[in-house]
Amino acid sequence: MNYIPVKGYCDRPNVFPGDTLDFHVSSDLPGMYRAELVRLFNGDLNPAGPGAAEVSVPSNVEGEYPARQQRTQVGGYISIPDGASNLAGLESMTVHAFISAMIPGGGVQTVISRWDDARQEGWALVVNADGNLEFRVGDGDGEVDVVVSDRPLFPDTFYSVTAVIDREGGELRLAQSSVVNSTNSRFGKVVPIDSDFRGSSRILLPAKASRVPVIIAGMAESASSDRTWVVNNFNGKIDAPAVYRGAATDEDLLLLDEGAQPRHLPALARWDFSHGFTKRGIPTDRIEDVSGRGMHGSCVNQPDLGMTGWNWRGTEEVFKYCPEEYGAIWFHSDSLDDSRWDRDFTLNIPEDLPSGCYAVKVTQGEFSDYIPFFSRPPRGTATSKALLLIPTMSYLAYANTQVMQNAPSAQAVKGHVAVLEATDLELNLNTQIYGLSTYDYHVDGRGCQYTSWRRPILNMRPRYRHEFGSVWQFPADLHLVDWMHAQGIDVDIATDHDLAAEGEDLLSRYNVVVTGTHPEYYTREMIDAWEDYLSHGGRGMYLAGNGMYWIASVHPEKPWLAEIRKGEVGDQPWRARPGEMYHSTSGERGGLWRMRARSTAKVWGVVYTSHGMDASTGFNQLPDSRQPELAWMFEGIGADEVIGDFGLVGGGAAGLEVDRYDQSLGTPPHTQLLASSYGHTPNWALVPEDQYCAHSGMNGPEHPLVRGDITYFTTAEGGAMFAAPSMSWCASLSWNDYQNNVSRLTANVLKRFARDEPMDEIIG
């Protein structure tokens, strides 16, 4: 039995009263499980805090359901229906593609097929378990004709590969030819790659059509069910696959190697993966057959689009401006964009459900799982003067991350031994069920750049503790929810997904908008919304660290899926390869917002500067905090008090990740510098984007930029921005039964910002 036997997911993170929300559950155990709706207020089990808090809410889903184990289709591929058997190989035909296999020898991997694996029927072009190219034809009665290359493929090397069914000549033919240039492969032209091959074998089997679709980057497991399961997925790039009527000659092979189409071989299908590129990216999963025969397909499990192709020369780094050199798709056998489990039940969101953080709790015996979602006020309305933005884009970026379990430098980053629980062991054991985070690597070494809501996200659970032993992300944000509830502060809830879709119109309904603890991943629309809101008189509270850092974008057809490509610099687990830094879902450059002139300091007043996961400190007050016009903010707080030298995460309010005041990066010049954190340990290091030249003295005790700065500034039309820039700030709110200076300062600001009167402008 797995460590987490019962688990589930819902189809989106955000709902309105009156909506419906589908839930999908899988269990390794027989019998029944129970479901109930709960409202979440706190999940941290730290004995120094108030403890977990949830309230059961009556709903239509309350009750018992039959447990069942649901299968997950993993691995990226393209499916092309072929009901008319146009590509069945009943007559002579030629199959061609450019491929770059990343892990040849890593099991059977299919380039393209019309093959029923259970019946061994049809045809398939594969890279076999030894790393050799292989072309097979089977009759479904146990007989298979095969031709195999005697030379294994080099990894990360582009080849032109051709397979031929020659019915008239009674042969199967196979050819592979390296097409390495200066930039398209791991090694360049100076390496004498000796792996070209041409060979043939007799074909004795009669023509027979399998009942499965054509699959690029995989093969059909069986045709016996109403759902096609795809196995033996490819790991690597495929570019310009095509099927031609007739058997290619040796002269034809030379033309195909050059990317040309032999005139006497009519195309039965020719797929152009660059077809439909726009300035805003690649808007659809549809794959176009440009032969005119209508053999169109669709991507499954979001393979990497907009990748450098076999003919990429390195002179143009943007796929949308040079589509002819970006015809490759990079497929992974462990990619996942939707678990595609059958629905178990549908929740009817009550019309009177208050805005808040909720979950459907599923319980079977001693095991439980929480499936969270977030309820908005009724459409187009606000039921409070304050809005809490739940950072769902960042939840997706970290969804099911295994970076601390697997990264060699993980313990050095944390500064202490990893603390793992059953959830971490489950994720490590069953990657194929849960998919990866954008902090993980695919099995073929590519960093994972797409992340989906439609799967169980086990580390987005109210009681989960991250591998460094503290709450992070969703359970950390519940610290803030719990504090607001304990203080009697009325607040509406919305998500990053709402902000990306509605922009400033959403924020403008509120006097004050409060961030979660780690809004690290932001779309352009989200930044625009904040900037417009603040400049038009809105008020914001940034109670977080490392916010608005990495560029994110949302798939135009699948709003539950986000894309992140790590750029050339940043606090990062992996880096995009040359020519592959532009998002397929939006067409914009990935990486840091700071490198696109959208520094966080321009909007929230501070910019990410350092992280340390060993110990937290407090903030020392600075002279600006004693300005007479700020007396309202520090009411009840003594001038000599260290703010937040206590807390549930690392023992202080300045912890995990912090941001600094920096006018050179856009902090408004009239910003008040209220307090700074000092005394961080040597494990705290300056972020890479500030290290122009590597040298010693970049850590907490030695570098002046390794600090967090509490700031405040006003904007036009009575707006204002307050930043307490630390991920552990909210973990100090409940200390000493909520009676502390972090709680007092936060309450003073929030209550003042929520009032209707404009803020007094402070300059100087």
Side-chain angles (χ1 to χ4, degrees):
M1 185 176 69
N2 295 328
Y3 292 97
I4 310 292
V6 58
K7 54 267 181 178
Y9 65 93
C10 57
D11 60 353
R12 63 187 187 279
N14 47 345
V15 297
F16 291 96
D19 281 355
T20 59
L21 188 61
D22 291 338
F23 286 80
H24 312 256
V25 179
S26 179
S27 176
D28 307 327
L29 302 172
M32 307 288 287
Y33 68 86
R34 179 170 181 79
E36 64 174 320
L37 177 62
V38 295
R39 185 173 182 180
L40 302 172
F41 293 101
N42 200 353
D44 192 354
L45 300 178
N46 190 324
E54 63 188 56
V55 176
S56 183
V57 179
S59 75
N60 69 296
V61 302
E62 189 168 342
E64 293 195 333
Y65 299 85
R68 56 178 171 169
Q69 189 174 52
Q70 303 219 49
R71 180 176 177 179
T72 306
Q73 172 68 67
V74 295
Y77 62 92
I78 297 169
S79 180
I80 301 110
D82 185 21
S85 296
N86 293 322
L87 307 183
L90 303 180
E91 300 175 347
S92 294
M93 74 176 197
T94 298
V95 180
H96 176 263
F98 294 99
I99 70 168
S100 177
M102 296 301 162
I103 47 173
V108 176
Q109 300 172 60
T110 312
V111 177
I112 182 171
S113 69
R114 197 179 189 283
W115 177 265
D116 182 334
D117 200 46
R119 294 175 54 84
Q120 297 286 288
E121 181 179 78
W123 58 267
L125 178 60
V126 305
V127 180
N128 67 22
D130 296 322
N132 297 75
L133 198 66
E134 176 182 310
F135 187 50
R136 62 178 72 159
V137 175
D139 66 359
D141 294 321
E143 298 295 327
V144 179
D145 286 332
V146 179
V147 57
V148 184
S149 169
D150 62 6
R151 303 196 178 187
L153 300 172
F154 282 89
D156 198 0
T157 300
F158 259 111
Y159 291 85
S160 170
V161 299
T162 308
V164 178
I165 299 176
D166 185 351
R167 294 291 181 188
E168 291 75 17
E171 282 188 328
L172 293 182
R173 296 202 294 274
L174 185 64
Q176 66 188 46
S177 177
S178 64
V179 289
V180 173
N181 65 23
S182 301
T183 52
N184 70 359
S185 300
R186 179 179 302 177
F187 301 109
K189 295 188 294 184
V190 301
V191 178
I193 296 176
D194 183 18
S195 58
D196 289 4
F197 168 83
R198 288 189 186 184
S200 64
S201 67
R202 299 299 296 171
I203 180 170
L204 304 175
L205 300 177
K208 194 170 183 180
S210 65
R211 294 175 294 160
V212 298
V214 175
I215 304 292
I216 298 173
M219 64 173 57
E221 181 183 65
S222 170
S224 59
S225 70
D226 59 354
R227 178 172 178 179
T228 301
W229 295 96
V230 173
V231 296
N232 297 331
N233 298 86
F234 190 68
N235 285 288
K237 292 181 176 181
I238 300 176
D239 191 349
V243 180
Y244 301 97
R245 178 182 290 117
T249 65
D250 288 347
E251 292 75 17
D252 295 331
L253 295 182
L254 295 176
L255 290 172
L256 292 170
D257 291 348
E258 295 172 354
Q261 179 180 343
R263 291 184 178 181
H264 73 282
L265 294 180
L268 297 175
R270 189 160 57 89
W271 296 283
D272 180 359
F273 296 161
S274 68
H275 188 276
F277 284 10
T278 73
K279 289 184 179 180
R280 295 297 302 273
I282 305 169
T284 179
D285 285 341
R286 178 180 167 91
I287 297 298
E288 290 289 327
D289 169 22
V290 295
S291 74
R293 295 182 177 270
M295 299 297 294
H296 309 299
S298 58
C299 292
V300 178
N301 277 333
Q302 198 61 46
D304 297 351
L305 305 178
M307 298 286 104
T308 56
W310 73 278
N311 56 346
W312 185 61
R313 298 292 183 261
T315 57
E316 177 54 72
E317 296 186 87
V318 187
F319 69 84
K320 58 189 178 181
Y321 297 139
C322 188
E324 63 274 14
E325 293 184 11
Y326 282 84
I329 293 179
W330 192 334
F331 298 89
H332 311 281
S333 63
D334 54 358
S335 61
L336 180 67
D337 71 354
D338 188 334
S339 293
R340 294 178 174 83
W341 292 354
D342 292 334
R343 182 184 61 205
D344 280 65
F345 51 82
T346 298
L347 173 66
N348 299 325
I349 307 300
E351 295 284 356
D352 59 350
L353 189 71
S355 181
C357 304
Y358 292 87
V360 167
K361 181 179 180 181
V362 292
T363 303
Q364 190 173 13
E366 62 182 299
F367 302 101
S368 294
D369 186 29
Y370 291 82
I371 308 172
F373 65 93
F374 306 95
S375 181
R376 297 274 306 276
R379 279 182 172 82
T381 70
T383 57
S384 170
K385 294 182 181 296
L387 174 69
L388 171 59
L389 270 178
I390 299 294
T392 48
M393 209 66 69
S394 295
Y395 294 171
L396 281 182
Y398 285 92
N400 294 335
T401 176
Q402 298 179 56
V403 65
M404 293 301 181
Q405 295 100 308
N406 297 334
S409 60
Q411 292 190 176
V413 170
K414 294 191 299 288
H416 58 77
V417 175
V419 180
L420 304 181
E421 59 178 75
T423 296
D424 304 304
L425 300 176
E426 172 74 10
L427 290 172
N428 193 265
L429 179 68
N430 293 305
T431 302
Q432 297 291 310
I433 298 176
Y434 303 109
L436 302 171
S437 79
T438 61
Y439 284 76
D440 299 317
Y441 286 83
H442 288 291
V443 67
D444 59 15
R446 166 79 178 181
C448 179
Q449 67 186 41
Y450 299 108
T451 177
S452 172
W453 181 269
R454 291 189 172 181
R455 54 179 168 145
I457 303 177
L458 297 187
N459 63 350
M460 189 196 152
R461 299 303 191 243
R463 304 185 184 204
Y464 176 72
R465 297 184 73 80
H466 208 268
E467 297 95 331
F468 49 79
S470 297
V471 293
W472 177 283
Q473 299 282 109
F474 178 49
D477 292 333
L478 288 177
H479 279 150
L480 182 54
V481 173
D482 167 73
W483 174 80
M484 289 175 166
H485 180 67
Q487 299 294 307
I489 295 173
D490 189 29
V491 62
D492 284 349
I493 296 288
T495 70
D496 282 353
H497 285 72
D498 298 305
L499 181 60
E502 299 179 30
E504 186 193 4
D505 185 56
L506 167 63
L507 305 186
S508 65
R509 300 170 200 152
Y510 298 92
N511 286 357
V512 57
V513 178
V514 186
T515 72
T517 60
H518 194 206
E520 181 178 3
Y521 290 82
Y522 253 58
T523 69
R524 176 177 46 79
E525 294 83 1
M526 293 162 63
I527 297 181
D528 289 346
W530 265 104
E531 195 166 41
D532 291 343
Y533 170 69
L534 291 172
S535 63
H536 294 154
R539 299 157 197 169
M541 296 181 67
Y542 174 62
L543 308 181
N546 186 13
M548 208 181 285
Y549 190 63
W550 288 110
I551 297 164
S553 57
V554 176
H555 193 288
E557 290 184 339
K558 298 182 290 191
W560 61 88
L561 186 132
E563 180 178 10
I564 291 108
R565 298 200 188 192
K566 307 294 185 180
E568 293 174 319
V569 71
D571 199 353
Q572 59 193 153
W574 59 271
R575 185 169 296 159
R577 303 201 331 175
E580 297 176 349
M581 294 186 183
Y582 281 75
H583 286 211
S584 66
T585 52
S586 65
E588 59 191 324
R589 192 182 194 279
L592 301 184
W593 279 115
R594 174 174 163 180
M595 298 305 161
R596 286 179 53 190
R598 301 298 296 270
S599 166
T600 324
K602 291 183 173 182
V603 183
W604 288 337
V606 289
V607 64
Y608 179 41
T609 191
S610 183
H611 72 245
M613 300 176 185
D614 53 349
S616 307
T617 68
F619 290 89
N620 297 287
Q621 294 185 58
L622 298 175
D624 281 353
S625 66
R626 293 297 120 187
Q627 295 283 344
E629 58 267 35
L630 293 183
W632 60 269
M633 186 182 294
F634 288 88
E635 183 179 351
I637 300 173
D640 59 345
E641 290 187 43
V642 176
I643 299 173
D645 54 348
F646 49 81
L648 303 181
V649 172
L656 300 182
E657 295 177 338
V658 297
D659 302 18
R660 73 174 187 269
Y661 170 111
D662 195 326
Q663 287 193 25
S664 71
L665 293 173
T667 298
H670 63 294
T671 297
Q672 306 291 305
L673 181 56
L674 307 177
S676 293
S677 66
Y678 295 100
H680 294 289
T681 72
N683 196 61
W684 286 69
L686 188 65
V687 290
E689 56 268 27
D690 283 320
Q691 299 185 32
Y692 301 113
C693 178
H695 57 81
S696 60
M698 292 287 188
N699 61 25
E702 299 177 290
H703 204 287
L705 298 185
V706 179
R707 68 179 196 273
D709 293 328
I710 299 177
T711 60
Y712 170 80
F713 64 87
T714 56
T715 69
E717 301 183 32
M721 186 70 215
F722 171 84
S726 163
M727 280 183 62
S728 67
W729 178 268
C730 292
S732 298
L733 289 168
S734 63
W735 188 263
N736 189 34
D737 196 26
Y738 309 95
Q739 302 301 309
N740 61 74
N741 53 27
V742 171
S743 175
R744 193 167 297 114
L745 177 58
T746 307
N748 288 345
V749 176
L750 180 55
K751 291 176 181 178
R752 177 64 183 86
F753 278 16
R755 289 163 52 181
D756 293 331
E757 300 86 354
M759 304 299 298
D760 295 326
E761 185 164 294
I762 301 171
I763 299 178

